[in-house]
């Protein structure tokens, strides 16, 4: 036989694992393929037998032994196949799964990389009965598992870290994940479904065939996959102030994620962003815990009913509230990770601030039935308690004490990416500290073998109790049963055709439109008229990658066209097809003869600490963007759109800008931005964070004692028609009287109350104009906070104070 390196043919099998029900016949397809797909130059012989070593099934009792040979003559077409049948025996008792290896000896071609094996499915055991209550199924399965199998369930590996696919069964891995940008080739929805199914098939070779729960960071749509519907990032959703819309975006995301075979989403981020220098600021719904809490309707959209009864639907996923707790409050300069300045740093708060600002959204998430919680990379320093800052993954008082005991969280806790390695001490100490603190599954994500061995050793040494292991594994198994994975481990591809569909993109388009915040509109420049001749410029007018931001296709995102969607410029041309629209990215084309200019500027993509201010980033426009603003706004009436994950410092140019829009990161549907630019929808968005005048002001947030922003939290003009010439003071009195009457009548009509406050807010903004002083800004911002907390009368009282303080 020729040496392997010279062989032009290879023998392959249709799968490495062939599960069959007891008594059924397994069919293993053996094929031969050639380099260049030509016919075989020489014959290929494959000898097979079931009588090798290594299987757990008993020959003659569990299956009928088989051995033989197949020959592919010279001239056989590439891709030709033969089938070997293995007949299993029907017994009478309940059993776990048993394996029958089928070793292949190949002559004339390269042998398969792995020995195929037939798996006789587990059967007759109580945990396999879908009619039994979940708790009973969990108890039964847990009672049968070894310590090593339990340790495997607590292990999550990155898919690219697998040294061999068979490790999924050999280590009884509980979960795999795709980190940001960890994708199959090609990166299509169908390829994702095939990939996840292939991993799930491997889990079927384990004794109890416990399915994997595969996880991804689908933080604004199924954002790792080309062709999906990419929503605005959370900061834009916070700007919509529309909880029902947030729920709809969650439902679309869940349907697209589950269609690719992925049942678990590491979202939503319920952090409260308190400093715009943070590279994850755009992952937050805003700076106000009341706003974050209101937008957690996204959990219902993604996961369904709080009790988990909807999790087995083909359009729902397990959700993750992250990052517990205080990741949005880290102090600038406190990070010890690489060049990060704020991400993964230390949150220094009083216990009162911890409860009101950072813990409140997690209580809401638990009440909504969130399936998993992810601790933060950051450390917590509670002022006045006499304790040093503690890494959250080591904080048993918060994870066990507050989250699981006080909040009554019943799901499981998943660590962040390699986060336990940041706990001081050696690796065994990291493992026992995090597990004893209440972390149930560890996102290893690469050294899964070391973690598995270390966890088992720590338990055997008595440093982690078996009761703690049983608690963790019970929580994980409960989620898997509720997801229906034991009955349906593979992708239900029914919804693959809906991924990126017009129906889904319509939701994203609405979200993009409602996320646009009109900060200034002198002279009524916006909305544009379709008949106007418009000059468009700026780095973000025609760049889908900049528009979608980080966590899109890759972890950090990238500029350029990397998925399907519509840029803002393309959306404008579709909205006004008969308009003369000229585009010059750098505004180098002559500017004479235009009715209006639109300059779309802002940030390029980043994620997490890579995007921290001071780590190669700042809050100022690039020189090219500044020049484009100056050229266009110096030549004509102009509207400036800022596409960014956080406010940009624009005050020095504000006088020359007629209209200013905070566009945030609107996702793939630039049509939604065009909808408000051309008046197909009115501007209705409100600031989810305070817009600062300078970096020196940061952190600046609603409720601060000293509060002097460029634009206050909650600010947002509208282009909706309103009755002119109203007596503002009198109207505010009338609105307040209506609110008091509602309260006195005991009517919990929040929609009505919201309408009253919105009417009042618009009146106040009309009076303020662009003369925003501290005396105006502070009560104005606090009004929105009170409204979100349900205090309509209090909100109107604050708006009245802002009105009176206006010059």
């Amino acid at each position: 036989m020729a040496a392997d390196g010279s062989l032009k043919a290879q023998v392959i099998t249709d799968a490495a694992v062939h599960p069959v029900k007891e008594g059924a016949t397994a069919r293993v397809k053996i094929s031969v393929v050639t380099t260049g797909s030509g016919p075989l130059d020489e014959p290929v012989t494959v000898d097979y037998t079931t009588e090798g070593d290594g299987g757990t099934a008993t020959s003659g009792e569990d299956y009928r032994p088989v051995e033989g040979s197949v020959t592919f003559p010279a001239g056989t077409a590439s891709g030709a196949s033969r089938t070997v049948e293995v007949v299993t025996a029907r017994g009478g008792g309940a059993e776990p799964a048993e394996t029958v290896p089928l070793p292949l000896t190949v002559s004339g071609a390269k042998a398969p990389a792995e020995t195929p094996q037939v798996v006789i499915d587990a059967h007759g055991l109580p945990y396999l009965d879908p009619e039994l209550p979940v708790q009973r199924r969990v108890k039964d399965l847990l009672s049968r598992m070894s310590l090593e199998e339990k340790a495997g369930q607590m292990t999550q590996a990155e898919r690219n870290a697998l040294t061999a696919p068979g490790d999924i069964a050999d280590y009884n891995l509980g979960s795999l994940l795709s980190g940001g940008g960890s994708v199959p080739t090609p990166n299509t929805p169908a390829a994702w479904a095939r990939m996840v199914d292939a991993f799930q098939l491997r889990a079927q070779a384990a004794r109890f065939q416990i399915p994997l729960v595969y996880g991804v960071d689908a933080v604004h749509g199924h954002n790792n996959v080309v062709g999906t519907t990419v929503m605005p990032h959370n900061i834009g959703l916070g700007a919509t102030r529309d909880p029902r819309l947030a729920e709809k975006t969650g439902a679309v995301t869940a349907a697209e994620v589950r269609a690719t075979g992925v049942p678990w989403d590491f979202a939503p981020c319920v952090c409260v962003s308190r400093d715009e220098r943070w590279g994850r600021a755009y992952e937050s719904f805003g700076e106000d815990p009341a706003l974050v809490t209101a937008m957690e309707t996204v959990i219902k959209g993604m996961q369904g009913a709080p009790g988990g009864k909807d999790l087995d639907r083909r359009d729902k996923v397990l959700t993750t509230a992250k990052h517990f707790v205080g990741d949005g409050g880290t102090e600038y300069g406190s990070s010890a990770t690489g060049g990060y300045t704020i991400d993964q740093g230390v949150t220094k708060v009083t216990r009162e601030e911890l409860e009101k600002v950072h813990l409140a959204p997690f209580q809401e998430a638990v009440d909504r039935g969130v399936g998993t919680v992810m601790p933060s990379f950051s450390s917590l320093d509670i002022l006045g308690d006499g304790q040093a800052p503690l890494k959250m993954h080591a904080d048993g008082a918060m994870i066990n004490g507050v989250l699981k005991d006080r909040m009554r969280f019943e799901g499981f806790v998943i660590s962040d990416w390699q986060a336990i390695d940041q706990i001081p001490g050696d690796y065994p100490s990291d493992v026992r500290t995090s597990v004893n603190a209440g972390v149930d599954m560890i996102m290893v994500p690469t050294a899964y073998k070391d973690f598995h061995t270390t966890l088992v050793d720590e338990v055997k040494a008595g440093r982690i109790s078996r009761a703690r292991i049983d608690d963790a594994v019970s929580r994980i198994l409960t989620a898997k049963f509720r997801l229906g994975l034991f009955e349906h481990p593979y992708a239900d591809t029914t919804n693959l055709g809906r991924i990126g569909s017009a129906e889904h993109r319509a939701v994203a388009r609405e979200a993009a439109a409602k996320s646009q915040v009109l900060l200034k509109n002198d002279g009524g420049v916006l909305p544009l008229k379709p008949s106007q001749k418009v000059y468009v410029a700026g780095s973000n007018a025609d760049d889908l990658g900049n528009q979608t931001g980080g966590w899109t296709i890759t972890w950090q995102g990238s500029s350029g066209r990397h998925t399907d969607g519509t840029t803002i410029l393309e959306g404008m041309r579709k909205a006004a097809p008969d308009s003369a629209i000229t585009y010059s990215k750098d505004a180098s084309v002559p500017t004479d003869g235009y009715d209006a200019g639109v300059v779309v500027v802002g940030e390029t993509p980043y994620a997490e600490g890579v995007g921290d201010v001071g780590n190669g980033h700042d809050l100022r426009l690039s020189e090219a963007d500044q020049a484009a603003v100056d050229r266009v706004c110096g030549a004509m009436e102009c509207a400036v759109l800022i596409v960014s994950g956080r406010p940009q410092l624009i005050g020095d140019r504000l006088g020359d800008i007629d209209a200013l829009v905070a566009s945030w990161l609107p996702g793939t549907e630039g049509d939604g931005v065009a909808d408000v630019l051309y008046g197909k929808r009115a501007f209705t968005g409100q600031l989810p964070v305070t817009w600062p005048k300078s970096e020196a002001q940061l952190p600046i947030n609603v409720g601060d004692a000293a509060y002097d922003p460029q634009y206050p939290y909650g600010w947002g003009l509208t282009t909706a028609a309103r009755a002119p010439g109203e007596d503002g003071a009198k109207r505010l009195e009338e609105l307040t009287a209506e609110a008091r009457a509602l309260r006195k009548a005991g009517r919990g009509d929040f929609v009505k109350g919201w309408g009253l406050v919105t009417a009042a807010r618009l009146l106040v903004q009309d009076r303020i104009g662009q003369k925003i002083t501290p005396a105006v800004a502070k009560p104005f911002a606090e009004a929105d906070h009170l409204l979100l907390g349900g205090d309509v009368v209090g909100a109107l009282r604050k708006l009245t104070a802002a009105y009176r303080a206006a010059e």
Side-chain angles (χ1 to χ4, degrees), residues 702-717:
V702 57
D704 287 354
Y707 191 71
D708 184 20
Q710 191 81 65
Y711 293 101
Y713 169 77
W715 186 268
L717 307 178

Side-chain angles (χ1 to χ4, degrees), residues 282-574:
Y282 63 75
E283 293 188 51
S284 172
F285 292 113
E287 71 185 31
D288 182 0
L291 174 58
V292 174
T293 299
M295 301 305 287
E296 288 184 57
T297 50
V298 69
I299 294 172
K300 181 180 178 183
M302 296 170 73
Q303 190 171 287
K309 70 179 181 64
D310 298 325
L311 279 173
D312 61 351
R313 285 172 40 176
R314 65 190 183 197
D315 62 348
K316 295 300 175 189
V317 294
L318 193 69
T319 54
T320 307
K322 63 184 188 183
H323 304 88
F324 187 83
V325 61
D327 58 329
T330 47
E331 184 178 74
Y332 189 78
S334 67
S335 181
T337 302
Y340 298 4
T341 58
I342 186 167
D343 189 47
Q344 304 186 18
V346 181
T347 298
K348 300 179 180 179
V349 287
T350 64
R351 188 164 292 277
E352 180 183 14
E353 185 180 357
L354 174 66
E355 294 284 346
K356 290 184 177 179
V357 176
H358 300 292
L359 279 172
F362 283 94
Q363 183 65 69
E364 177 71 15
V366 171
D367 292 345
R368 288 185 174 276
V370 72
T372 64
V373 169
M374 182 182 291
S376 176
F377 279 113
S378 57
S379 302
L380 182 62
D381 185 4
I382 302 177
L383 302 177
D385 70 351
Q387 303 295 314
L390 184 61
K391 279 285 183 182
M392 280 308 312
H393 282 75
D395 198 334
M398 295 304 299
I399 299 174
N400 282 327
V402 174
L403 178 63
K404 290 185 174 179
D405 293 343
R406 194 187 84 188
M407 292 185 177
R408 300 186 183 280
F409 173 61
E410 296 180 351
F412 70 89
V413 175
I414 171 69
S415 86
D416 209 333
W417 180 277
Q418 209 170 342
I420 69 167
D421 294 21
Q422 295 189 11
I423 299 172
D426 59 18
Y427 193 61
S429 173
D430 295 343
V431 171
R432 66 174 173 267
T433 298
S434 58
V435 173
N436 285 332
V439 182
D440 301 306
M441 181 184 282
I442 307 298
M443 189 184 292
V444 181
T446 55
Y448 58 92
K449 297 177 183 178
D450 291 340
F451 171 75
H452 186 273
T453 299
T454 302
L455 180 57
V456 169
D457 289 346
E458 288 297 302
V459 176
K460 289 181 176 178
R463 290 184 286 268
I464 300 174
S465 73
R466 290 181 182 264
R468 170 79 269 268
I469 298 299
D470 284 354
D471 172 60
V473 177
S474 293
R475 290 168 178 267
I476 294 164
L477 293 178
T478 297
K480 291 185 176 185
F481 280 119
R482 286 179 172 168
L483 283 163
L485 294 176
F486 282 83
E487 290 71 50
H488 304 288
Y490 303 115
D492 180 343
T493 56
T494 307
N495 283 334
L496 273 180
R498 297 179 63 201
I499 291 177
S501 65
E503 172 194 4
H504 286 182
R505 291 183 185 274
V507 174
R509 179 174 181 167
E510 179 184 1
K514 289 186 173 180
S515 71
Q516 304 298 295
V517 181
L518 184 59
L519 301 173
K520 180 180 180 181
N521 195 26
D522 285 0
V525 172
L526 296 177
L528 300 170
K529 298 178 180 62
S531 59
Q532 286 180 299
K533 188 177 182 182
V534 179
Y535 189 105
V536 180
S539 61
N540 288 349
D542 196 32
D543 194 305
L544 195 64
N546 290 356
Q547 184 177 305
T548 53
W551 285 112
T552 311
I553 310 305
T554 58
W555 174 39
Q556 292 293 318
S558 62
S559 299
R561 187 170 290 275
H562 50 31
T563 189
D564 301 332
T566 303
T567 67
I568 293 171
L569 175 65
E570 290 167 342
M572 291 177 66
R573 285 179 167 157
K574 288 163 66 178

Side-chain angles (χ1 to χ4, degrees), residues 522-536 578-582 590-598 632-633 635-639 658 678:
D522 285 0
V525 172
L526 296 177
L528 300 170
K529 298 178 180 62
S531 59
Q532 286 180 299
K533 188 177 182 182
V534 179
Y535 189 105
V536 180
D578 299 325
S579 174
I581 296 178
T582 297
T591 56
D592 297 334
Y594 291 90
D595 299 312
V598 175
V632 176
C633 293
M636 66 193 80
E637 287 188 339
C638 73
D658 298 295
Y678 278 96

